[in-house]
Structures are given as C-alpha cells and as structure tokens.
C-alpha cells in the first residue's frame, strides 16, 4: 500500500466517523427513520479481521442470522402506503456468499469480488394501522409472515497489508430482487436500489491481539412503488479479539448506526425519519482444517441499546467460511 493511499483512507475515514458519531453524542429530535424502519445496511456485517487479506481463489461463506426487534406502542412507521403504530419483527436469514479473490495485485492491493444471496423468513406484527393507502382511519393490529429470497448484494473489496497494519476499501450494491409487496407487512426486500461504500482497518500482530473497524455510507434510491426515499445512512462496525492459540480467538464486537440525511419523496408522509442504534456483544471464533478444506467458524451476538426511530432488540450471527487449504493457514 502506498503512503498516499494510507493517508487518504485515514483522512476520509475520520471524517465519516465524526459524521456518524456526532448525532449519537449530542442527540437529535425524535423522528422515525428509513422506510418501514429497515435499512439496506445490516449493522454488524463486518467484525474482526475485516481488512485482513485472504488467500487467492474461490471461497464460500455461509451465515445464519437471527434477529428479534420491536418498537414500543405509540411509535409509528410507514409501511407501503400505510402508517402503522408499533411494530415487532423476527427475522431468520441464511447469507450465501461465494467470493473470488484474485492472486494478481490491483492498485498494489488484493481484489475480491463476491455476491450474497439471502433466503429467509420474516414475521412482522403491528399494533394498529392508523392510516391506510386510501386515507382510511384506524384498524386493528395484524401480523404477516413472508418467506423466500431476499435482495441480492454484490460486494467488491480491495485490501492492503503492511506488517500488522491492514487496510480495506469496499463497495456494496443492493439489487431489489427479493420478496417485496408494499401492501404487505412482511417482506425480504426493501423495494429499492442502494449503493454502499467505505473503508476498513485491522491491527493484528503475532502476539494474538487484533482490532478492526469498518465504516461506510449508504445511499438509497427512490422506491418506485411507494415514491419513498430513505435518507443517507452512516454505519461503523468494530471487532476486537485475542487469540490464546493459533486457531482460537475470543473477543467483543459492536456497531454504531446513524442516519445522516432525512427521508424524502412524495411517499415520506411522516417527515424526516432519522434513526440511530448501538449494538455490542461477545464473539468466539475457531479455524481448523478437514482434508484439503480450511474452515473458519465464528459466533457473535449483539444486544442493542440507545435505539431511536427504528426497532431495537438483539441479534446473533453464526458464520462458516470454507476455502481450499493453503500452506499459509488462516
């Protein structure tokens, strides 16, 4: 990695961090955020070792994600053309991400291209519908369950290594290919295109100490079915760990999520809708080989707090990474 690239990444990164954290520190007026209270970026996607280059070749990551979250009575959300009061959701997804890592350097770094497919189920319930698409009045609460494929997420990363220092630049897209109906409560897609990008850093030395941080921004395009445009989202994921052995690591993970720009468009009937949430929890990981396959297992969980303007709760991630074993190990 060149000295210029390092300084540029850090200066841009510091600016994004300040933008994300500033509203968390000073507070913002209460509002509701992102259409249906759901964001394209799933906080916690990056954790420990995020910026460490991998081995060249094809790899596969399988991730099970479970989330339970709710918002108290009296909170309102836009769902399709309706305004609903209070919301609770249970989500179960399996992230399937094949990735190819190139052996030849790109801009003195390591390029990897992948795409995530997202089968799953979502169970959503609400306390009441306050205003329907046609402007009708209050109706009783109800629930809905949806299953199938979610949106598709292509991802590109470029990583550099300099001893204990590791740097990453990434970009991710969101293709609205998932189960989505603006007239239903539950869905596995958000109904609009989006693009996300940012930077990551990992410190990892031979003593087993590791710390990672990844920060980025999400730009949301207009949902053509509801004419709703979610605002600009900022997010910061982090992980820290210690490896008592070459294969095992233990530590903590967390995230900060903060909406930096207001929602808009003709469908944004409740105004700006800016949101934020913080999550933190433990993690454990283990790497081992079976025959010619290298396997990496990680289990982490997050308890959310300081949630405003979106449902809050808890979530767990179980990740299994598979790749043909190399002599260099993990």
């Amino acid at each position: 990695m060149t000295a210029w690239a390092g300084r540029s990444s850090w200066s841009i990164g510091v600016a994004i961090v300040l933008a994300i954290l500033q509203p968390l520190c000073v507070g913002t007026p209460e509002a509701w955020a992102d259409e249906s209270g759901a964001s394209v970026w799933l906080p916690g996607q990056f954790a420990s070792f995020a910026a460490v280059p991998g081995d060249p070749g094809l790899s596969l990551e399988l991730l099970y994600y479970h989330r339970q979250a709710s918002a108290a009575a009296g909170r309102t959300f836009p769902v399709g053309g309706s305004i609903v009061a209070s919301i609770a959701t249970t989500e179960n997804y399996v992230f399937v991400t094949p990735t190819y890592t190139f052996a030849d350097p790109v801009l003195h770094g390591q390029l990897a291209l992948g795409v995530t497919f997202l089968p799953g189920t979502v169970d959503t319930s609400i306390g009441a519908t306050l205003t329907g698409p046609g402007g009708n009045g209050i109706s009783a609460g109800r629930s809905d369950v949806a299953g199938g494929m979610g949106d598709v997420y292509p991802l590109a990363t470029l990583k550099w290594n300099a001893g204990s220092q590791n740097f990453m630049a990434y970009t991710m897209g969101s293709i609205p290919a998932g189960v989505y109906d603006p007239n239903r409560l539950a869905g596995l897609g958000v109904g609009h295109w989006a693009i996300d990008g940012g930077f990551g850093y990992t410190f990892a030395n031979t003593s087993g100490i590791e710390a990672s941080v990844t920060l980025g921004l999400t730009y949301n395009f207009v949902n053509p079915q509801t004419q709703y445009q979610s605002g600009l989202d900022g997010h910061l994921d982090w992980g820290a760990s210690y490896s008592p052995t070459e294969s095992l690591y233990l530590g903590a993970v967390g995230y900060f999520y903060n909406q930096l720009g207001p929602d808009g468009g003709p469908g944004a009937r409740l105004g700006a809708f800016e949101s934020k949430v913080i999550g933190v929890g433990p993690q454990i990981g283990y790497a081992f080989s079976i025959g010619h396959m290298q396997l990496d297992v990680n289990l982490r969980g997050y308890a959310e707090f300081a949630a405003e303007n979106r449902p809050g709760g808890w979530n767990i991630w179980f990740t299994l990474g598979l790749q043909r074993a190399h002599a260099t190990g993990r």
Side-chain angles (χ1 to χ4, degrees):
M1 180 179 182
T2 65
W4 177 88
R7 289 194 298 268
S8 177
S9 297
W10 275 110
S11 60
I12 296 172
V14 169
I16 297 175
V17 169
L18 293 176
I20 295 171
L21 297 184
Q22 186 271 337
L24 289 172
C25 296
V26 302
T28 55
E30 185 168 353
W32 282 108
D34 285 316
E35 188 173 11
S36 301
S39 56
V40 167
W41 181 262
L42 196 61
Q45 289 184 62
F46 285 115
S48 285
F49 304 101
V52 175
D55 291 324
L58 185 65
S59 63
L60 177 66
E61 182 181 85
L62 303 174
L63 188 155
Y64 170 69
Y65 172 80
H66 175 81
R67 176 183 183 234
Q68 289 194 284
S70 63
R75 305 298 190 183
T76 55
F77 291 86
V79 178
S82 302
I83 305 300
V84 303
S86 75
I87 191 167
T89 182
T90 299
E91 303 173 41
N92 290 281
Y93 292 109
V94 176
F95 292 69
V96 181
T97 307
T99 301
Y100 186 80
T101 301
F102 293 85
D104 295 332
V106 176
L107 298 177
H108 305 288
Q110 184 188 67
L111 175 66
L113 301 177
V115 60
T116 297
F117 303 95
L118 200 65
T121 62
V122 176
D123 185 344
T124 301
S125 61
I126 61 169
T129 300
L130 301 182
T131 304
N136 51 300
I138 296 175
S139 61
R142 54 195 173 96
S143 62
D144 188 20
V145 179
M149 294 299 296
D151 292 342
V152 177
Y153 301 93
L155 173 69
T157 63
L158 193 57
K159 298 180 179 181
W160 298 267
N161 170 260
S164 300
Q165 316 292 323
N166 301 272
F167 302 86
M168 174 182 68
Y170 81 91
T171 183
M172 183 194 78
S174 176
I175 302 172
V179 175
Y180 175 79
D181 183 342
N183 297 312
R184 293 186 59 180
L185 291 178
L188 283 85
V190 295
H192 66 266
W193 295 76
I195 186 167
D196 185 282
F199 300 91
Y201 170 76
T202 294
F203 172 84
N205 63 19
T206 55
S207 67
I209 297 174
E210 174 272 338
S212 298
V213 61
T214 304
L215 50 96
L217 298 172
T218 307
Y219 179 81
N220 298 283
F221 294 88
V222 175
N223 184 332
Q225 299 189 59
T226 61
Q227 294 302 303
Y228 194 110
Q229 184 173 22
S230 296
L232 182 69
D233 299 323
H235 50 83
L236 185 151
D237 295 350
W238 62 268
S241 66
Y242 173 70
S243 299
T245 70
E246 185 178 348
S247 299
L248 176 68
Y249 63 94
L250 308 164
V253 289
Y255 53 74
F256 300 90
Y257 175 89
N258 189 76
Q259 190 172 337
L260 305 176
D263 294 353
R269 296 158 59 188
L270 292 181
F273 297 153
E274 296 176 9
S275 70
K276 57 188 175 183
V277 69
I278 300 173
V280 65
Q283 69 162 330
I284 182 172
Y286 190 74
F288 59 98
S289 296
I290 299 179
H292 295 292
M293 294 299 297
Q294 176 74 29
L295 290 82
D296 288 272
V297 178
N298 176 270
L299 176 64
R300 61 187 188 270
Y302 301 83
E304 294 184 329
F305 61 97
E308 293 186 16
N309 316 325
R310 60 180 281 150
W314 58 271
N315 53 82
I316 59 172
W317 309 63
F318 178 75
T319 305
L320 173 63
L322 302 96
Q323 187 172 31
R324 185 174 178 83
H326 290 258
T328 55
R330 178 164 61 94

